[in-house]
Structures are given as structure tokens and as C-alpha cells.
Amino acid sequence: MLEIKNLHASIGEKPILRGITLTVPDGQVHAIMGPNGSGKSTLSYVLSGHSDFTVTDGTAHFDGTDLLAMEPEARAQAGLFLAFQAPVELPGVGNANFLRTALNAVRKARGEPELDAAQFLKLARAEAKRLQMPDDMLKRNVNVGFSGGEKKRNEVLQMTMLQPKLAILDETDSGLDIDALKIVGDGVNALRSPGFSALVITHHQRLLDHIVPDAVHVLAHGRIVRSGGADLARALEAQGYAQVIAEAA
Amino acid sequence: MPAIAETLNTVQSVADNGYKWGFETDIEMEFAPRGLNTDIVRLISERKGEPAWLLEWRLAAFSAWQGMEEPVWALLNYPKIDYQDSYYYAAPKKKAGPASLDEVDPELLRMYEKLGIPVSERAILAGVEGAEARPPMAVDAVFDSVSVATTFRSTLAKSGVIFCPISEAVREHPELVRKYLGSVVPPTDNYFAALNSAVFTDGSFVFIPKGVTCPMELSTYFRINAKNTGQFERTLIVCEEGASVSYLEGCTAPMRDENQLHAAVVELVVLDDAKIKYSTVQNWYPGDAQGRGGIYNFVTKRGACRGARSKISWTQVETGSAITWKYPSCVLQGEGSVGEFYSVALTNNHQQADTGTKMIHIGKNTTSTIVSKGISAGHSNNTYRGLVRILPKAAGARNHTQCDSLLIGDLCGAHTVPYIECRNPGAKVEHEATTSKISEDQLFYCRQRGLSQEDAVGMIVNGFCREVLKELPMEFAVEAQKLLAVSLEGSVG
Ligand SMILES: Nc1ncnc2c1ncn2[C@@H]1O[C@H](COP(=O)(O)OP(=O)(O)OP(=O)(O)O)[C@@H](O)[C@H]1O
Ligand SMILES: [Mg+2]
């Protein structure tokens, strides 16, 4: 599904990712942890094609195609979804309209017929209900005036609607209340299938109680310093990062 | 928005220049000699079969115009206009009315088609006898100097509504025209209004009698077609007590290297409890990417709220013209009358727009709302210029102004020039202004969800304009949204 080799990326002159190698096979969920500023969000931006970052070395392939050569929208249409750590507000743009436009762009790329307003609304309402989001969130403007937790839920709604092949969740759990955490976990678990993989960036074990990862990687100073199974996350929660980072140095 | 993508594709395939409406229609025309003098004014008046009073009115306007200076206070930069280099009268050659669509000049039909006028209305516009189906909109098409046809006249007449070319109204309803013409925008009001008063050739006249709600939306299409012609249309809309109407105006012009002059005057009058909603989608040819050609648009639009509780609402979406000089205004005379101005002005490439409004509060408890959204891209310049004047007797007057500018790229300019004159201490005047840019993060967010760069820009810009677009009648709003996206093509990335 996703194959990253020796990936280096900078912002301006400042190197941030310094040789990341990581493979996420089909159907697997990998967690990425690591201290603040270690490059987790940067990795998600580089994979999804944010123009602020320059790839200086290395490769990334998505289902065998060169991800880094694609425009951001082509990556999205190919099935890559990023749930943003800080979702962006779009004043004046209706949430339903935005979601429908996105869904139809993606469906079109997949060769599926576009949904008309009625078909879409039926689907979106059902999905919103499943995520226990109030109906009026579809009517409001994209993320404008949403609480922190509502923004995160809105990201999850978009993800479940767009049905990606590869989802990157960047701290989707932060800001969520206990019930929402479970709902989000269920949302991701519902997508789990041999054709779906995920990179779950988080600081907390509690999300991984709901979404049990196949592997856990620790990112520090732009490199993966340790990889392990689901138990690695529990160990880190107990010990902190210092020891792992020191061992790797 | 898939509609936008679709439009983008069509536009790319039909227009070399991004201006979808840039076709020229090959129709036999009759011209008056080039240039402007009293003979031309007389000729126009004579061609229209006008009464003596109107000829006098024109000649007075012409002589006033000769003594006036072209205004220079706007933030606009254009070479001096040679007023003697234009044609002031051009009309399609008249033939007897066609009996069916087959007999209509195919070029004329093709033009209507390209303008996007529905087939059923095309027949009516082309003057085909008996062709009156029932779509919900009556249309008056002004083609260069002459009003070609007005649809649904008989349906409207049943409710007492008059909707016809103003040249015809001069003949058929002289008492009404004489009473109201120039009563809101006097012939000497300003340089361009004086010019228009001297040489206006056609336009629409609307009269809604007491207590009548116009049964359908009324619409005018303006089109400049012939080379080097100026277009000077004159629109007059009167709503008597308790009457109301929604009026739409759309404009296009072919692509040309030289600039063409357009100087219209629109006058609105509302009596007690009457309402006019006037919506414009202005899409005159803006010139090419290097700033060659395009329409010079100098327009005077003003509404008089003469009656108590009367209301005038201007909504405009301005994406065209090389130069826009336009300030739709409301004179709020009647007690409790209401003026509204909702505007989107988009400039790209080398376009320049200096547009805004004037709200003159005369009566007690008058209120006005101004929402202006300016979008600048490319090398363009976009100025909002708005006057709110509260006169001493306007106790309890209120105004709220909101002026937002959106910049796309680093080479364009946005300016906000509010003038507030408040001579009643109890009045409340509020002004808010913001300037923002489309952020890289917003674009990226949209693209990460699968939208193309252009659709993303279209979506964000339409979001920015939402408060204005929602004031437009539904169908017009959809058109306007597409137009905004198309006009920004190539402005990002
Ligand atoms: N636009 C920018 N300009 C300068 N430095 C930046 C920019 N964006 C990110 N960085 C830097 O890159 C480094 C990695 O940031 P990143 O956001 O990827 O960290 P993170 O691992 O996601 O942290 P957190 O856990 O706090 O979310 C940080 O040192 C950050 O300050
Ligand atoms: Mg982060």
C-alpha cells in the first residue's frame, strides 16, 4: 500500500525529515508516535503533497505509483486521505456542499457516477448520525466556529464518506471527549479491510485501545528510531521517549 | 463544484481567450455617422420618432455635457477617450416581423443561444408571432442601440404591468415617461449621465401599478455588438404604492482590441410600501490578459425611495469590463425606507474597478445596508468607494457597512474609500472592513479532498461572496457562481 524509502524533506533550508523508511502493507494500521516537533505532521503533509515542503531525497510509493510526482488532488483521488491535525476553516462554504464536491471528485476519479444532492444528503445524514454529529453541522460552514472536537469529528465524517484506501490521521484523538474517542475509533475500525490501511499519528495510548495497531513507530528528529508491536505504545506511555531516543542515538 | 469544472472545460474549448461570450454576431446594421454633435442628437431623436419635449431635453443635456469635465477622482487609469471616434447610433436593419423561427435571422438566434437564453424565449425575443409559452421570466434584449424584443408583454399587461423598450414607452406612455425620466438622475447629474441623456438610444421601461406584485421576474440582456459603437441605454423602473418587482440585468460584449464605451443610466422610483430588487450580473468583455481591449463602463444607477417604508435593493456581481465606474445609490426620502447594496466586484488581469454605493438618508428611521466583496487577482485594481450621508432630519437613521477584500496573488490592489457624513447625532453608522488572502492552507485543504486548484479557488471565492450571492434570484446565483470561477481562471498557481 505505502512504501517510503529514505525520505528527506525540508521547509526552506531547514531539514525536517531526515531519512524515513516505512512500509505499511495492505490492510494494516500503523501508529506513529514521537515528541512534539519530531516531524509527524510534516510526514503527513509531505505524503499528501503540501507545497511548503521540499523533498530533498528518497521515494514514496502508493500502490506502486510514485506518490511524490502527483498533485495533491491526484493523491486524494487515488485514495489518500489526511485528517488534519488543525482542520482549516472555509468561511461561506457550506459543509455539505464541500463534502459533496469532494466526494464527487473522488467518485469521478474512481469511475463511479456522481451523486446528486438528494442521494448525497441521505448518505451524509446517515453517516453523521453514526458519528453522532448533529445534523446542523452539515449546514454550517466548513469548520467555521466548530469546537476543537467538532472539527476532528468532521474530519472523520469526511474520511468515512470518501472511503480512502490510505488514511493518515494526525492527532485526530486530541481534543476529543471520551465518548467521541470511541466513536472515532469505531469509525476507523469500520473501514478496516484488506483494501484499507492507515497511519495513525497520536500521543496517547487511549486511541490505540480502540484502534489496535499492527505496528508502532517512534519518530524523533525526523527519523524512525524504534518500531514495534502494539505493546511498544504501552511501554512508551509508561517510560516516555527519552530512553528510546537515547538508545537510538 | 462540478458545475464549475464543467463550465471551465466548455470555456476552455470554445474561447481562445477565456471569454466565453466573445463572439461577434454578423447582422446587417444601420449606422449613424461617427462622432457626436447636435445633428447626431437630432438624428437619434428623429429615428425614434420622439416628441419635441424629449428632443429639447436631449439637446439641453448635450449642451450641458459640452461644458462639463470628465471626472478624474476615481482610482482609474485609462487613456483619454475620444468621444468623436465612436458611433452613437447603430441598429439592426428592420425587416417585417417573422412568422416562424425559420424566418428569423439565424445570426440573431445564434446570438441568443450563445447568451444562454432558453429556446422558448429565443423565439419570443426574435419576434416570432404567437410564440409565448410560459417560462417564468420576461426578457427585453437590447442589442447595440436598439431594444430588439420584449417577451411576455401580454401576460404582463393582464396585471397592468408595463414592460417595454423605453423608446416605445416614450410614444405609448408619454405622461409616465415625462413624469419620471430624469427625476432621479437629472441630465446634468454628472458627465456620463449628461452624455447618456443626450444620446441614449434604448433601454427598458417598467411600470408596476399600485398594489401589484409583478407576476414574473423581468430581465434585460444588454449586448454591444457593432464595432466602435457606444452603448447608452436608459432604464426607468417605477413602482407605485405597494407594488413590487424583481429585475435582472445581464450584459455581454464581443472581444475586440479597441475599447468600447458604455454609459448607462438607471433610475428607480418607489412610492409608499413599494419594493424594487435590482440584480445585475455584469460580464462585459474585460480585455485580454495583457489588458488590450475591453469595455469602459461608466454607469449611473440611482433609486429614489420616495414613499414611506419603500425599499430598493441593488445586488451586483461585476466580473467584466476593462474599466468599471459605478455607484448604484439610494436616496432614502420616505420615512422608514430601506436601501440595500450587495456587491461582488471581481477584477483579474489588468481590469480596474472603482465601484460602491451612495446611501443618502433624508427621512426619519431610514436604514441602509452595504455589503461589498472585492476580489482582486492578476495585475488588477479594485476600489470600493462608498458614501453614507445622514441629513439632519434623518432621526433614527441607521447604516451598516461591511467591506471585505480578497487578494489573489501579490500584483493586484484593493482599496477601500468610505465617506461618512453624519449630520444627525442620533443616527447610527457602522463600518467594518477586512482584507484577506486566499491562504495556501485553505487551498491545500480543498485539494487534499480531491478538488482541483481551480475548483478550490472557485469554492473559496464563492464562499467569500456568499452573503451577496444569496441575495440573487436562484438561477442568477448559479450563473454568477460559475462566472466568478471562470473569471479567475489561471489566476492562481
Ligand atoms: N512552516 C514552518 N516553518 C518553520 N518550521 C516549521 C514549519 N512547519 C513545521 N516546522 C518545524 O518542523 C518541525 C516538525 O514539525 P511537525 O509539525 O512535523 O511536528 P510534529 O511531530 O507533528 O509535532 P506535534 O506533536 O507537536 O504535532 C518542528 O520543529 C516545526 O517547528
Ligand atoms: Mg503534528
Side-chain angles (χ1 to χ4, degrees):
Chain A
M1 178 75 69
L2 176 67
E3 203 170 4
I4 306 168
K5 283 192 184 139
N6 190 34
L7 188 63
H8 286 70
S10 321
I11 185 152
E13 294 295 298
K14 184 175 165 193
I16 307 214
L17 301 184
R18 300 186 302 160
I20 292 192
T21 297
L22 171 67
T23 300
V24 184
D26 288 357
Q28 289 202 3
V29 172
H30 287 203
I32 295 191
M33 306 184 77
N36 294 133
S38 58
K40 302 181 298 297
S41 293
T42 302
L43 176 62
S44 69
Y45 280 140
V46 169
L47 292 177
S48 50
H50 198 298
S51 59
D52 280 0
F53 301 89
T54 321
V55 174
T56 52
D57 200 4
T59 59
H61 285 84
F62 177 41
D63 268 349
T65 52
D66 180 3
L67 195 58
L68 303 178
M70 296 159 82
E71 292 293 329
E73 57 269 37
R75 302 182 198 198
Q77 288 163 10
L80 184 143
F81 181 91
L82 169 61
F84 285 69
Q85 181 172 1
V88 177
E89 300 187 358
L90 302 176
V93 178
N95 210 17
N97 179 29
F98 178 69
L99 188 49
R100 178 167 157 235
T101 308
L103 181 57
N104 279 338
V106 168
R107 287 178 67 97
K108 202 168 163 192
R110 288 190 209 135
E112 294 167 7
E114 296 187 11
L115 297 183
D116 66 28
Q119 293 168 317
F120 165 79
L121 269 182
K122 200 170 158 218
L123 207 68
R125 287 213 183 103
E127 206 56 51
K129 195 168 170 205
R130 216 160 60 80
L131 297 169
Q132 298 182 21
M133 287 166 59
D135 254 7
D136 87 315
M137 268 173 77
L138 286 169
K139 292 186 197 133
R140 288 166 63 181
N141 293 335
V142 180
N143 295 325
V144 178
F146 285 23
S147 74
E150 284 169 344
K151 284 184 182 168
K152 297 301 176 78
R153 284 202 221 192
N154 198 36
E155 295 290 287
V156 175
L157 171 68
Q158 294 179 24
M159 177 181 73
T160 57
M161 291 286 291
L162 295 176
Q163 301 264 320
K165 282 196 211 162
L166 173 67
I168 305 171
L169 287 86
D170 192 353
E171 298 198 26
T172 304
D173 54 332
S174 52
L176 289 184
D177 64 43
I178 299 161
D179 296 336
L181 196 68
K182 181 168 183 314
I183 295 164
V184 167
D186 291 346
V188 175
N189 287 333
L191 291 175
R192 283 181 100 152
S193 75
F196 173 80
S197 306
L199 268 182
V200 178
I201 297 170
T202 183
H203 288 296
H204 304 290
Q205 171 59 37
R206 45 174 209 178
L207 178 68
L208 304 179
D209 289 339
H210 293 287
I211 310 169
V212 181
D214 298 291
V216 175
H217 309 277
V218 178
L219 197 64
H221 304 301
R223 286 197 191 96
I224 291 179
V225 293
R226 172 78 81 80
S227 296
D231 49 342
L232 174 58
R234 272 187 288 275
L236 288 168
E237 184 120 294
Q239 300 162 12
Y241 292 117
Q243 195 182 341
V244 192
I245 295 171
E247 280 169 23
Chain B
M1 217 162 295
I4 290 175
E6 214 172 275
T7 313
L8 286 174
N9 289 339
T10 351
V11 170
Q12 251 148 10
S13 60
V14 299
D16 2 299
N17 214 349
Y19 186 70
K20 179 181 169 184
W21 299 268
F23 53 89
E24 178 176 354
T25 306
D26 204 2
I27 288 176
E28 275 195 87
M29 301 289 282
E30 178 195 47
F31 290 94
R34 204 189 277 257
L36 184 52
N37 50 50
T38 49
D39 286 346
I40 294 286
V41 176
R42 283 173 196 283
L43 178 132
I44 293 170
S45 186
E46 183 233 286
R47 274 299 142 93
K48 306 245 146 219
E50 287 176 354
W53 68 265
L54 191 49
L55 174 61
E56 289 311 316
W57 194 84
R58 287 177 180 275
L59 289 170
F62 180 69
S63 106
W65 178 73
Q66 283 180 305
M68 291 166 98
E69 298 282 338
E70 197 173 322
V72 292
W73 43 260
L75 214 64
L76 299 170
N77 192 355
Y78 55 93
K80 196 144 181 54
I81 300 169
D82 180 358
Y83 290 90
Q84 296 305 330
D85 195 36
S86 260
Y87 292 100
Y88 288 83
Y89 184 78
K93 280 196 180 150
K94 259 235 156 60
K95 296 176 196 153
S100 79
L101 266 183
D102 302 342
E103 286 177 36
V104 175
D105 186 338
E107 288 301 331
L108 197 62
L109 285 185
R110 224 162 289 150
M111 177 189 78
Y112 292 142
E113 188 184 335
K114 288 182 205 156
L115 284 172
I117 298 176
V119 185
S120 49
E121 279 173 51
R122 271 180 244 156
I124 300 168
L125 279 176
V128 175
E129 283 168 36
E132 191 155 326
R134 42 177 306 279
M137 194 187 286
V139 183
D140 184 17
V142 177
F143 182 70
D144 288 313
S145 309
V146 169
S147 184
V148 183
T150 312
T151 62
F152 299 109
R153 306 261 302 261
S154 57
T155 316
L156 290 169
K158 277 182 206 131
S159 44
V161 172
I162 303 169
F163 178 37
C164 68
I166 198 158
S167 54
E168 187 185 316
V170 168
R171 294 190 299 267
E172 308 288 325
H173 311 282
E175 68 301 336
L176 283 176
V177 175
R178 201 167 179 179
K179 181 168 174 193
Y180 291 108
L181 186 74
S183 73
V184 186
V185 180
T188 52
D189 187 79
N190 67 71
Y191 187 80
F192 298 108
L195 177 63
N196 174 287
S197 302
V199 300
F200 76 87
T201 34
D202 224 325
S204 302
F205 174 73
V206 177
F207 178 80
I208 318 281
K210 204 166 170 169
V212 171
T213 299
C214 188
M216 64 181 82
E217 290 187 318
L218 304 183
S219 162
T220 306
Y221 288 89
F222 294 112
R223 179 168 173 81
I224 299 178
N225 195 60
K227 223 173 179 157
N228 292 323
T229 42
Q231 182 152 331
F232 306 94
E233 80 270 355
R234 184 109 198 170
T235 301
L236 173 59
I237 304 179
V238 178
C239 273
E240 285 192 335
E241 291 84 353
S244 69
V245 65
S246 167
Y247 187 89
L248 318 176
E249 174 193 79
C251 325
T252 56
M255 291 188 273
R256 291 194 186 284
D257 290 343
E258 75 276 15
N259 302 97
Q260 285 167 287
L261 180 61
H262 176 253
V265 171
V266 175
E267 298 179 276
L268 311 182
V269 178
V270 281
L271 304 185
D272 286 357
D273 299 298
K275 267 190 222 140
I276 296 177
K277 181 175 178 65
Y278 194 105
S279 313
T280 305
V281 173
Q282 187 267 113
N283 181 32
W284 300 112
Y285 178 50
D288 67 12
Q290 280 70 47
R292 281 182 300 249
I295 301 288
Y296 287 178
N297 190 29
F298 299 98
V299 179
T300 306
K301 289 184 164 170
R302 193 174 305 152
C305 285
R306 298 220 171 121
R309 297 166 304 276
S310 58
K311 177 174 174 182
I312 287 176
S313 181
W314 298 101
T315 305
Q316 59 172 25
V317 174
E318 305 272 316
T319 63
S321 296
I323 301 281
T324 301
W325 180 99
K326 183 180 171 189
Y327 316 90
S329 306
C330 297
V331 181
L332 304 169
Q333 207 175 335
E335 192 172 331
S337 59
V338 177
E340 293 175 341
F341 175 73
Y342 298 98
S343 167
V344 171
L346 180 152
T347 53
N348 195 2
N349 296 318
H350 291 268
Q351 283 176 273
Q352 305 173 57
D354 193 299
T355 184
T357 184
K358 288 191 251 177
M359 293 290 175
I360 314 292
H361 292 253
I362 301 173
K364 273 189 204 143
N365 297 322
T366 46
T367 55
S368 62
T369 304
I370 300 172
V371 178
S372 158
K373 304 278 179 176
I375 301 142
S376 340
H379 296 262
S380 70
N381 250 307
N382 202 323
T383 302
Y384 166 81
R385 189 181 301 277
L387 167 70
V388 176
R389 177 180 290 154
I390 315 268
L391 295 178
K393 288 195 178 131
R398 274 173 297 144
N399 161 268
H400 184 85
T401 300
Q402 187 195 324
C403 245
D404 300 320
S405 307
L406 185 70
L407 299 169
I408 300 175
D410 300 318
L411 304 170
C412 54
H415 318 274
T416 302
V417 192
Y419 305 86
I420 298 170
E421 300 171 15
C422 186
R423 287 159 59 196
N424 184 300
K428 207 167 129 198
V429 179
E430 298 166 333
H431 180 94
E432 289 173 43
T434 67
T435 300
S436 55
K437 284 191 140 196
I438 291 191
S439 80
E440 216 36 63
D441 284 340
Q442 287 177 324
L443 279 177
F444 179 66
Y445 189 71
C446 294
R447 295 177 77 189
Q448 208 306 302
R449 297 301 183 247
L451 276 65
S452 69
Q453 171 105 334
E454 251 145 21
D455 285 355
V457 172
M459 182 143 258
I460 293 165
V461 166
N462 277 305
F464 173 75
C465 301
R466 208 182 114 85
E467 290 153 278
V468 173
L469 296 178
K470 75 177 172 41
E471 295 297 324
L472 286 174
M474 184 62 175
E475 264 179 86
F476 238 40
V478 173
E479 272 312 299
Q481 280 186 17
K482 292 183 197 167
L483 199 55
L484 288 173
V486 170
S487 307
L488 282 171
E489 204 181 334
S491 63
V492 178

